Amino acid sequence: MCGIIARVGEGGAVDELLTGLKNLEYRGYDSAGVAIPNGKSIDIRKQEGSVDDLVSAIDGNEPVGNIGIGHTRWSTHGPPTDENAHPHTDCTGSVAVVHNGIIDNHDELRDRLIAEGHEFTSETDTEVVPHLIERHLANGDGPEAAFRSAVDELDGSYALVATVEGGDALYATRNGSPLVLGIDGDRHYLASDVPAFLEFTDDVVYLEDHDVVVLNGDGYTIFDSEGRRLDRPVETVEWSPEDAEKGSYDHFMFKEINEQPVALGQTLSDRFTGDGDVDLGIDPDRYVDVDHVHFVACGTSYHAGLQGTHILTRAGVPASTYRASEFVATPPPLNEDSLVVGVTQSGETADTLEALRVATRRGAKTIAVTNAPGSTAVRETDESIFIRAGPEIGVAATKTFSSQVATLIMFAELITRSMTGSGIEDFEEIVDSLRSLPDAVQRILDTSRAERIARFYAGSEAQFFIGRGGAYPIALEGALKFKEITYEHAEGFAAGELKHGPLALVNADTPVFAVILGPGDEKTIGNVREVQARGAPVIVVAPEGADDALAVADEVLTVPDSHPIVASVLANVQLQLVSYHVAELLSRSIDKPRNLAKSVTVE
Ligand code: M6R
């Protein structure tokens, strides 16, 4: 949801800024721009469209200078136009600013600034910031003081980086939007996310809300909001640059689908202790008095959360999963014996963060289940569990879903032991399947018939996905992935609900993907017959040994025999492949689906 990159140090800025923008395009791709002070003025190049469009536009006429800021936009205030593209400037063009987030009081600030004679050229909330800096500079403040004073006037969420003509520095801060500092000897970077500069450095400082950073040729200094110097730890990220590159794949999504055996290996590695217990880096004793587990999440992570509730409920532990925005709108009763678990691969999703804040305010215990060390979710919760899937660049979540579900299976065992004194009854069987999971996923990747099925059904009127119990979240996830990257109509339903309304939509041109994983099979097989009676072709996704389920199918996508809970991850891999191949056949923008961004940092 908007990507920021900035750099200071030896060498020209433009190439590294454009590389950073390219690496950040998954956060927004409506427009892109850079601003580079060149000693005389600030050279600004920005336009509607992709980073590649910007690269072409400045090819042969690159801005010169060794400090600069860049931005790729996901529109919130104002449509994607050249004027609304970042960086934004003041009246004189001597201040340039990039921003991620939303300035809540921008209307009021804009009215005041206009009344004072400032002229605005965009419809964005961001543009108030350079004008505020201009105003404080005019009042005699130096650039750093002017930046601080401008920030003091803002309400809302922001990561901001500014530069001022005539200086050699960048000024940055954050409040509720991510910003990370990268350090490579004399060169320094600021970005919304580590992959932006991963090919330059893996040494990072995760900035905290209200930190103010000043970067110049001498290095970096971090201050708190009162101007006192801070010492934040430098951490080395474990991701390699190749993890965040497409390599020989056409799409990040396909690469990440294929990375799932490795990702799952990382997720599961060293998690089981000798006595059959689970170690997720959290303190199990904190949770002995918990009386209810609430998962809060959005989109794909919400579906992983539903699977968490399924596993806990079947183990006799009270649990619920909420769409984070609805949890905020109508919070359930919470107290110190409530555990609220935010499931969020990015750790920066605004709805999920707000749900966790509601939980904290009401005294609940909180845990983040995330792929992002240093994220806001990690900082704002009591404890964190890392899913260790490696960087995911495609907007469509794939490997992070598999790693989330694998993590939640282990979490369910840990929390069941804490809350009830004994673990999940069939956990040994589940662990056996978990240990085989990376290999089982690899078998699917090597043998899947998903491409053939995609070719057959790509032009259909709509696609429906049904499942019962632990297969229901997979039906929802299958449909979400399908609509997200193919732009075709797809819906997921609880198999038993079809006859209560959705069956009216079913016809010979609406293939139904039936996920059948074990418990309740006969009932779902009955539901399959109901849709077949209305002419719909049914693709059954089921374990190899599930003869009854496979027998009713018009087409099959099989998964290696596993415990049904673990088989849900495998079934989902088959559905990921179907969506991917349909999107490819329809020539969709697979890694950057229209209107979407990877990390949604507005509510
Ligand atoms: O970073 P998060 O896991 O919190 O993101 C939540 C959703 O925005 C995300 O899962 C979204 O639904 C996926 N991009 C869908 O593939």
Side-chain angles (χ1 to χ4, degrees):
M1 179 134 300
C2 294
I4 289 176
I5 175 79
R7 68 86 77 189
V8 169
E10 282 300 297
V14 68
D15 286 347
E16 290 190 345
L17 291 179
L18 293 173
T19 300
L21 289 183
K22 197 77 202 123
N23 294 342
L24 281 176
E25 240 188 336
Y26 62 88
R27 297 181 66 89
Y29 26 89
D30 291 338
S31 62
V34 294
I36 298 181
N38 59 19
K40 290 189 244 121
S41 62
I42 301 180
D43 193 347
I44 295 185
R45 314 290 181 90
K46 59 175 191 169
Q47 60 183 56
E48 181 189 346
S50 67
V51 177
D52 281 341
D53 295 338
L54 179 70
V55 170
S56 306
I58 65 180
D59 187 28
N61 179 25
E62 285 85 4
V64 177
N66 57 15
I67 75 171
I69 59 180
H71 189 269
T72 176
R73 179 170 184 244
W74 187 83
S75 312
T76 55
H77 291 67
T81 59
D82 292 353
E83 293 72 27
N84 289 335
H86 296 220
H88 288 287
T89 54
D90 64 327
C91 298
T92 62
S94 33
V95 179
V97 171
V98 289
H99 166 224
N100 172 30
I102 290 187
I103 312 276
D104 292 336
N105 60 339
H106 72 102
D107 277 335
E108 176 196 325
L109 292 170
R110 178 184 278 249
D111 289 348
R112 205 181 75 203
L113 288 158
I114 289 173
E116 290 172 9
H118 290 261
E119 286 179 15
F120 282 70
T121 55
S122 79
E123 296 158 77
T124 65
D125 53 334
T126 306
E127 199 185 339
V128 296
V129 182
H131 288 282
L132 286 172
I133 296 174
E134 176 189 13
R135 187 167 170 269
H136 290 289
L137 287 170
N139 288 342
D141 283 350
E144 185 187 327
F147 178 76
R148 281 176 184 286
S149 303
V151 170
D152 284 347
E153 294 178 73
L154 306 177
D155 292 335
S157 67
Y158 44 80
L160 288 166
V161 188
T163 187
V164 176
E165 185 191 323
D168 63 349
L170 299 178
Y171 308 92
T173 190
R174 58 158 287 172
N175 179 37
S177 292
L179 194 63
V180 57
L181 172 68
I183 303 163
D184 176 25
D186 292 343
R187 273 180 298 208
H188 295 86
Y189 305 88
L190 285 162
S192 307
D193 208 350
V194 173
F197 53 63
L198 194 54
E199 56 203 272
F200 310 132
T201 182
D202 52 10
D203 287 334
V204 304
V205 176
Y206 292 106
L207 298 167
E208 306 264 342
D209 278 353
H210 310 297
D211 284 0
V212 173
V213 189
V214 180
L215 284 184
N216 58 29
D218 297 331
Y220 70 93
T221 317
I222 306 176
F223 302 94
D224 69 8
S225 54
E226 306 298 321
R228 292 179 291 247
R229 273 175 179 250
L230 290 171
D231 202 12
R232 296 251 179 256
V234 179
E235 298 175 38
T236 301
V237 292
E238 286 172 12
W239 300 344
S240 76
E242 294 73 35
D243 289 340
E245 283 167 10
K246 228 172 359 191
S248 57
Y249 290 91
D250 289 339
H251 299 101
F252 277 110
M253 183 186 178
F254 197 50
K255 175 179 181 245
E256 288 153 5
I257 289 174
N258 278 280
E259 282 173 345
Q260 289 178 107
V262 172
L264 284 163
Q266 293 166 179
T267 302
L268 297 168
S269 140
D270 303 331
R271 302 289 210 185
F272 300 105
T273 58
D275 53 1
D277 212 341
V278 168
D279 181 1
L280 294 174
I282 60 172
D283 176 6
D285 294 340
R286 289 175 55 97
Y287 306 107
V288 287
D289 293 329
V290 165
D291 59 19
H292 198 110
V293 181
H294 308 261
F295 294 98
V296 292
C298 306
T300 292
S301 297
Y302 168 74
H303 300 148
L306 284 177
Q307 202 61 311
T309 283
H310 168 74
I311 304 161
L312 284 175
T313 306
R314 120 184 223 292
V317 171
S320 326
T321 301
Y322 302 79
R323 292 194 157 85
S325 53
E326 289 301 310
F327 183 95
V328 173
T330 318
L334 296 170
N335 58 39
E336 66 277 9
D337 292 334
S338 314
L339 171 60
V340 178
V341 181
V343 185
T344 165
Q345 65 82 20
S346 64
E348 299 293 349
T349 299
D351 289 319
T352 306
L353 293 176
E354 192 51 34
L356 288 166
R357 287 173 194 141
V358 167
T360 301
R361 284 200 290 275
R362 291 174 185 228
K365 298 177 172 62
T366 56
I367 292 179
V369 174
T370 183
N371 199 31
S375 61
T376 307
V378 171
R379 282 199 306 275
E380 294 191 3
T381 47
D382 300 330
E383 295 200 281
S384 299
I385 300 172
F386 297 105
I387 65 169
R388 310 196 298 212
E392 187 178 71
I393 308 296
V395 167
T398 52
K399 64 176 179 173
T400 53
F401 176 80
S402 296
S403 292
Q404 282 172 338
V405 174
T407 304
L408 290 179
I409 293 172
M410 297 184 284
F411 169 74
E413 169 67 6
L414 184 150
I415 213 73
T416 303
R417 284 190 184 208
S418 294
M419 286 170 64
T420 70
S422 59
I424 298 172
E425 210 177 39
D426 51 355
F427 193 63
E428 267 185 42
E429 203 190 317
I430 296 176
V431 171
D432 284 345
S433 288
L434 273 180
R435 290 195 200 282
S436 316
L437 183 58
D439 287 344
V441 172
Q442 190 60 55
R443 263 188 64 201
I444 293 175
L445 297 172
D446 293 342
T447 60
S448 176
R449 301 171 72 247
E451 189 169 3
R452 176 190 132 79
I453 286 173
R455 274 202 302 276
F456 209 69
Y457 295 111
S460 303
E461 179 184 313
Q463 325 267 337
F464 300 126
F465 297 76
I466 61 170
R468 177 179 254 97
Y472 171 51
I474 304 307
L476 296 182
E477 174 57 12
L480 175 64
K481 210 91 311 168
F482 199 93
K483 67 184 102 174
E484 179 181 22
I485 61 166
T486 71
Y487 315 161
E488 298 295 316
H489 183 210
E491 291 300 331
F493 300 109
E497 272 295 296
L498 270 188
K499 55 190 176 294
H500 299 289
L503 200 53
L505 298 171
V506 169
N507 63 42
D509 200 22
T510 58
V512 176
F513 290 83
V515 186
I516 307 182
L517 299 176
D521 274 3
E522 17 5 278
K523 291 189 182 163
T524 309
I525 290 170
N527 303 134
V528 166
R529 294 215 165 90
E530 287 157 17
V531 298
Q532 284 173 325
R534 275 80 190 171
V538 175
I539 303 98
V540 169
V541 189
E544 283 152 359
D547 296 337
D548 291 351
L550 297 172
V552 292
D554 298 292
E555 295 278 356
V556 297
L557 287 169
T558 56
V559 302
D561 287 322
S562 306
H563 188 285
I565 287 174
V566 177
S568 71
V569 176
L570 298 171
N572 189 58
V573 173
Q574 288 283 24
L575 296 182
Q576 291 170 349
L577 289 167
V578 172
S579 294
Y580 174 79
H581 289 301
V582 172
E584 204 186 22
L585 287 166
L586 298 176
S587 303
R588 302 303 192 221
S589 169
I590 293 180
D591 285 335
K592 292 174 274 178
R594 71 181 178 206
N595 304 336
L596 301 177
K598 181 82 181 156
S599 173
V600 184
T601 53
V602 292
E603 280 182 76

